Amino acid sequence: MTNHARSEREQLADLLTDTGPDAPTLCEGWTTRDLAAHIVVRERRPDSALGLLIKPLAGRGERVRRERAALPYPELIGQLRTPPVWSPVSNPLVDPLANTMEMFIHHEDVRRGTAGWEPRTLDRGLETTLHRNLKLIIRGSLRRLGIGAEITATGFPPIRVGSGPQVRITGDVGEIAVFFFGRQRASRASIDGDPAVADRLRRARLGV
């Protein structure tokens, strides 16, 4: 069985090497070096996430990320390419579940950070994994916003939220994933329906 998290990680590491440390990404204010450091810290310094739970430690994660970003770029990419087996989010048991979407989205953050990109043709197995993971993200996001919608990814059954759709969102799985992880402007998914609701959804803070 293909480990799509591993495949996306390898492609991302290769792309980061090719683009260099100073290229823009879809993550506002972050270069490719910043993005690589974020991934490495997520996997190697789980203690840095305490700031999400304990307010006095709120700045700790960013300090740790900046320290990691100061490493020589090839070393940083090497750490991204080979995560530690002890990591709670990248050990072999949880890697496919925890990292397929993570690596896909960040791969697209780099690909779509500069002009001239085109959507990739994705492996069907990767599309299936992304679609399965998207169900919870989509439902949680739309219920939080109080929006009824029908989301149809090409080749998959619709995902419906609410009693009646105010909008309908269609597109390839990758485009819908990019949209619902807060990169709406970089997604080629289509939205039809109530214009005010569609505009609100395009501007909403989506993702996890």
Side-chain angles (χ1 to χ4, degrees):
M1 182 180 295
T2 302
N3 183 338
H4 296 290
R6 167 55 60 183
S7 176
E8 286 295 303
R9 181 189 296 275
E10 289 291 344
Q11 292 179 67
L12 172 57
D14 290 344
L15 181 58
L16 286 167
T17 298
D18 291 343
T19 56
D22 301 316
T25 73
L26 293 183
C27 300
E28 186 175 354
W30 278 8
T31 64
T32 40
R33 178 188 291 277
D34 294 315
L35 180 57
H38 158 74
I39 297 171
V40 170
V41 166
R42 170 180 174 268
E43 297 178 331
R44 293 172 180 261
R45 290 292 305 273
D47 60 296
S48 68
L50 289 174
L52 298 175
L53 302 173
I54 304 172
K55 288 186 178 180
L57 299 178
R60 177 181 174 83
E62 180 61 11
R63 288 195 298 271
V64 173
R65 190 195 64 78
R66 288 180 180 274
E67 290 170 1
R68 191 66 57 144
L71 289 174
Y73 192 63
E75 182 179 347
L76 183 64
I77 301 306
Q79 291 187 3
L80 184 154
R81 195 184 294 274
T82 56
V85 296
W86 52 260
S87 172
V89 295
S90 60
N91 68 73
L93 291 177
V94 305
D95 185 44
L97 178 62
N99 287 317
T100 300
M101 186 68 78
E102 179 83 6
M103 296 302 153
F104 172 80
I105 292 296
H106 287 321
H107 189 179
E108 293 302 317
D109 282 336
V110 178
R111 290 187 68 255
R112 302 178 189 219
T114 54
W117 63 270
E118 290 293 331
R120 290 185 283 158
T121 299
L122 302 180
D123 175 91
R124 178 64 178 182
L126 174 57
E127 286 191 323
T128 299
T129 300
L130 295 177
H131 190 262
R132 182 170 59 246
N133 292 344
L134 274 171
K135 291 178 182 178
L136 288 176
I137 299 298
I138 287 173
R139 287 171 178 150
S141 295
L142 293 177
R143 285 169 181 161
R144 174 172 52 83
L145 293 169
I147 292 175
E150 181 179 276
I151 299 90
T152 304
T154 306
F156 292 90
I159 299 170
R160 297 183 177 90
V161 180
S163 57
Q166 296 166 285
V167 292
R168 288 180 169 84
I169 303 172
T170 57
D172 291 338
V173 174
E175 300 309 307
I176 291 175
V178 169
F179 186 97
F180 276 96
F181 272 78
R183 283 76 167 170
Q184 295 97 311
R185 292 184 179 180
S187 170
R188 294 187 180 176
S190 299
I191 311 179
D192 299 303
D194 187 315
V197 175
D199 185 63
R200 182 181 170 213
L201 191 53
R202 289 189 187 98
R203 297 171 181 270
R205 292 180 63 87
L206 301 175
V208 293

